[in-house]
Amino acid sequence: MLSFKWSAISMLSVCFLSACGGGGSGTTEQANNTAVFSAASSAVDAQLQILIADQGLSGDASSGRSLPNIADPLPQLGKLLFFSKSLGGNFDAACVSCHHPTLGGADDLSLPIGVDATSVDQLGIGRVHTSGEPIVARNSPTIFNVGLNDHSMFWDSRVESLGKEVNSNGALSGIRTPDSALGVADANAGDNLVEAQARFPVTSIEEMKTSAFENGSSGDVIRTHLAARIGDYGVGSGELLPNTWLHEFQTAFSSTQTASDLITFDNIAKAIGEYQRSMVFVNNPWRDYVNGNTSALTDDQKQGAILFFTSTNQGGGGCSGCHSGDFFTDGQHHIIAFPQIGPGLGDGSNNDFGRERQTIDDADRFRFRTPSLLNVAQTAPYGHSGSYGTLEDVLSHYNNPRRTVNNYFNDGGWCQLAQFSGLANCATLYPDAEDNTDDAVDALRVEQNNNTTLFDNINLNAQERSQIIAFLSALTDPCVIDRDCLSPWIADPTTTGPDGNQLNAIDAGGGLL
Ligand code: HEC
Ligand code: HEC
């Protein structure tokens, strides 16, 4: 949508460009300093306007979708479930343990801590596993804007829309999950990708289940037991006291059904899904700019945007080759070769083969799904294993992956990261990390030599890198850094929830999150 303002700007800049282009229309002697300044900035705006039009951007990845409002009954129920440790097998982990609204929709950690934390309700830096080291292999992605995703959930897309229809959030053509074969719809996936995803964390020993609960049982047995626990019937009878969940479910679903009919895991996943889908945080300065407010961005942010959307052979960063569209992702899987740290997923030696784990095709080794970049300034650390602590590190990696990775390991690797720096045994934690990362960089190098990657060699100077970072910060919705604005998505900390097991999160200093 191009406003009146935009057309005025492009006319101005056309004058400016022709005056400066040696066309000799001869008005330069009339230009005073102010006119030169505004002409220069409108030239930048004009250049960016062309890129915006080329990319077909509206600035708002939420437009054209039907998404719930947090004030609606189902998201309200979903919020209570999301914050409840009763969905943790051993009552010590909730969804919110790794995805808190005030922590960017994630947890501020490189690798999350789910079950067996030394201090169950403490989130963020300082949260530690009783073993002393994290046991979950991948970084927690943000849950903000997950309702805008039409492709897949997880770094390896193991929950995946079969048709990927635009604006559908996976609702139209079936969803593959780890419970079905690749390319085959899971009949129990539910209505959309977010609902489908919510079926899986509760079955993970490291994230929520623990090995003590339903040891060796199938996913469905685990889910059925948890639903019966919440609903206080059958195998779960008497596990929660107090228990007012039936009242909550009847209100949210506007139903008079009994607990065993209403409190099923399908309905639990639906409510949790609607809570997350109500988290639409797209009201950022970039959107204002695309909609015609030229003062919404600083000059550095505009220059950064130009670099972001310009291909490498034209002197840009080529970022939008993969971080494309208003949601800043192509939904595809690429080799980027960020350092691979952590326990890994049983591939090779503590390695993570990424998308290959799903397709069983070694051409997919080290490929991960392109993440959205909305609110990215609030979602550090970065990458599938959270190995880079800052956007500066990420930009340095894109500039020169080999050198950045070498420097990373020479400078102490993961021990530079806040989560690990205090651990006495830090240096010896991940002996295979450097070799595994080198393998990924080698795989990237092969693709670059064969010209089969969109990750070209780029050569941005320090100023250009900082301009791109400035642009990325313009993708932050001010609401996500404002506790009051986020409060509708945070369970009321003056209560303990329907069963006394609500996780009212605190930070390392004991302050309420
Ligand atoms: C131990 C921390 C932890 C807990 C607890 C947890 N998650 Fe996650 N979550 C993660 C990690 C790690 C990933 C990425 C895993 C992967 O890609 O393999 C993830 C991925 C997701 C995603 C996908 C986002 C995307 O863009 O792909 C959603 C949505 C999500 N979690 C929601 C939930 C819900 C709902 C619950 C509770 C039922 C939950 N999580 C519990 C750590 C956690
Ligand atoms: C070839 C496709 C591709 C290109 C080009 C690309 N990216 Fe990425 N980007 C990805 C993928 C895939 C990941 C996830 C990699 C991983 O986790 O191992 C990623 C991750 C990121 C992250 C971390 C996000 C997070 O939530 O952890 C940032 C920031 C980022 N890219 C910014 C950029 C910028 C800036 C550029 C341009 C200089 C760029 N990307 C170019 C595909 C790409």
Side-chain angles (χ1 to χ4, degrees):
M1 183 218 318
L2 297 180
S3 68
F4 168 75
K5 238 179 171 173
W6 269 127
S7 34
I9 284 157
S10 54
M11 281 164 64
L12 243 179
S13 61
V14 168
C15 300
F16 169 73
L17 290 172
S18 55
C20 298
S25 46
T27 55
T28 36
E29 70 270 17
Q30 294 159 2
N32 61 29
N33 281 345
T34 321
V36 168
F37 175 78
S38 63
S41 89
S42 49
V44 170
D45 290 325
Q47 195 182 346
L48 194 42
Q49 185 197 354
I50 291 167
L51 291 169
I52 288 167
D54 280 354
Q55 304 273 330
L57 303 178
S58 76
D60 183 354
S62 73
S63 66
R65 291 171 187 275
S66 111
L67 290 163
N69 187 295
I70 184 60
D72 296 343
L74 268 180
Q76 285 294 317
L77 172 64
K79 173 168 72 175
L80 294 175
L81 290 162
F82 196 88
F83 278 71
S84 178
K85 288 175 280 192
S86 299
L87 287 176
N90 205 23
F91 304 96
D92 74 344
C95 304
V96 77
S97 303
C98 307
H99 302 282
H100 197 281
T102 65
L103 301 176
D107 60 359
D108 277 2
L109 300 174
S110 297
L111 298 172
I113 316 285
V115 302
D116 297 330
T118 54
S119 172
V120 168
D121 295 350
Q122 185 196 314
L123 308 189
I125 296 297
R127 179 175 176 84
V128 281
H129 188 261
T130 45
S131 70
E133 53 186 274
I135 58 170
V136 178
R138 287 186 181 158
N139 175 262
S140 301
T142 183
I143 52 164
F144 294 163
N145 298 320
V146 282
L148 314 187
N149 191 322
D150 296 325
H151 289 262
S152 62
M153 296 283 112
F154 292 124
W155 289 102
D156 55 11
S157 297
R158 63 188 181 276
V159 168
E160 184 175 16
S161 165
L162 296 184
K164 303 179 177 57
E165 295 82 1
V166 173
N167 288 348
S168 74
N169 199 209
L172 298 182
S173 54
I175 295 170
R176 183 264 161 162
T177 78
D179 286 350
S180 60
L182 191 71
V184 175
D186 174 352
N188 300 317
D191 291 341
N192 55 62
L193 288 167
V194 186
E195 189 178 325
Q197 190 282 336
R199 302 174 67 77
F200 294 92
V202 297
T203 66
S204 156
I205 294 177
E206 298 83 15
E207 290 191 4
M208 294 182 75
K209 189 181 83 66
T210 70
S211 42
F213 179 72
E214 286 291 355
N215 200 16
S217 299
S218 71
D220 277 332
V221 170
I222 297 163
R223 294 179 192 116
T224 304
H225 188 156
L226 289 170
R229 171 191 286 178
I230 299 285
D232 194 20
Y233 60 82
V235 62
S237 289
E239 289 187 23
L240 299 176
L241 207 76
N243 187 338
T244 61
W245 283 109
L246 180 58
H247 170 71
E248 302 291 350
F249 273 75
Q250 287 180 333
T251 308
F253 283 93
S254 164
S255 162
T256 54
Q257 282 180 297
T258 61
S260 57
D261 286 337
L262 186 57
I263 306 184
T264 58
F265 200 86
D266 288 354
N267 280 345
I268 291 173
K270 186 180 302 294
I272 292 178
E274 290 305 280
Y275 161 71
Q276 295 178 92
R277 278 159 37 85
S278 76
M279 300 183 125
V280 181
F281 297 115
V282 297
N283 193 5
N284 56 47
W286 169 244
R287 183 175 87 165
D288 285 355
Y289 181 82
V290 175
N291 286 321
N293 176 5
T294 52
S295 55
L297 298 189
T298 65
D299 287 344
D300 269 351
Q301 289 173 329
K302 293 177 191 178
Q303 296 289 356
I306 290 172
L307 291 164
F308 187 94
F309 292 111
T310 301
S311 63
T312 49
N313 58 20
Q314 313 234 318
C319 312
S320 58
C322 304
H323 297 283
S324 54
D326 288 309
F327 196 44
F328 291 91
T329 171
D330 57 0
Q332 304 296 309
H333 308 89
H334 304 277
I335 303 177
I336 303 298
F338 288 161
Q340 161 60 34
I341 65 167
L345 281 163
D347 304 325
S349 194
N350 300 313
N351 213 342
D352 183 346
F353 289 169
R355 182 63 174 162
E356 179 187 351
R357 296 178 56 78
Q358 305 307 316
T359 60
I360 326 292
D361 176 353
D362 60 14
D364 285 330
R365 184 162 304 179
F366 306 130
R367 291 185 195 281
F368 293 90
R369 184 199 62 180
T370 310
S372 169
L373 298 178
L374 294 177
N375 302 302
V376 71
Q378 302 309 313
T379 62
Y382 300 109
H384 68 273
S385 70
S387 49
Y388 283 138
T390 65
L391 289 171
E392 283 75 10
D393 293 340
V394 170
L395 266 292
S396 165
H397 180 96
Y398 279 114
N399 228 28
N400 191 329
R402 176 74 72 190
R403 190 176 60 208
T404 306
V405 159
N406 287 345
N407 288 345
Y408 181 84
F409 288 106
N410 290 338
D411 292 347
W414 58 91
C415 295
Q416 306 160 84
L417 296 161
Q419 181 176 9
F420 299 98
S421 56
L423 301 182
N425 62 338
C426 188
T428 57
L429 275 181
Y430 306 127
D432 305 306
E434 188 164 3
D435 280 352
N436 289 339
T437 304
D438 283 344
D439 288 349
V441 177
D442 288 344
L444 171 63
R445 179 68 59 87
V446 168
E447 286 202 321
Q448 289 183 324
N449 290 340
N450 295 340
N451 262 323
T452 53
T453 175
L454 293 162
F455 184 166
D456 293 326
N457 284 307
I458 54 175
N459 204 1
L460 302 171
N461 63 35
Q463 185 192 15
E464 292 168 324
R465 294 198 299 273
S466 76
Q467 287 170 331
I468 292 184
I469 292 169
F471 165 64
L472 294 176
S473 73
L475 303 180
T476 300
D477 183 329
C479 187
V480 309
I481 47 176
D482 177 348
R483 173 67 169 73
D484 287 341
C485 186
L486 288 173
S487 64
W489 288 273
I490 299 173
D492 178 0
T494 64
T495 74
T496 55
D499 56 15
N501 284 333
Q502 182 168 296
L503 196 157
N504 294 322
I506 53 170
D507 62 21
L512 208 55
L513 282 178

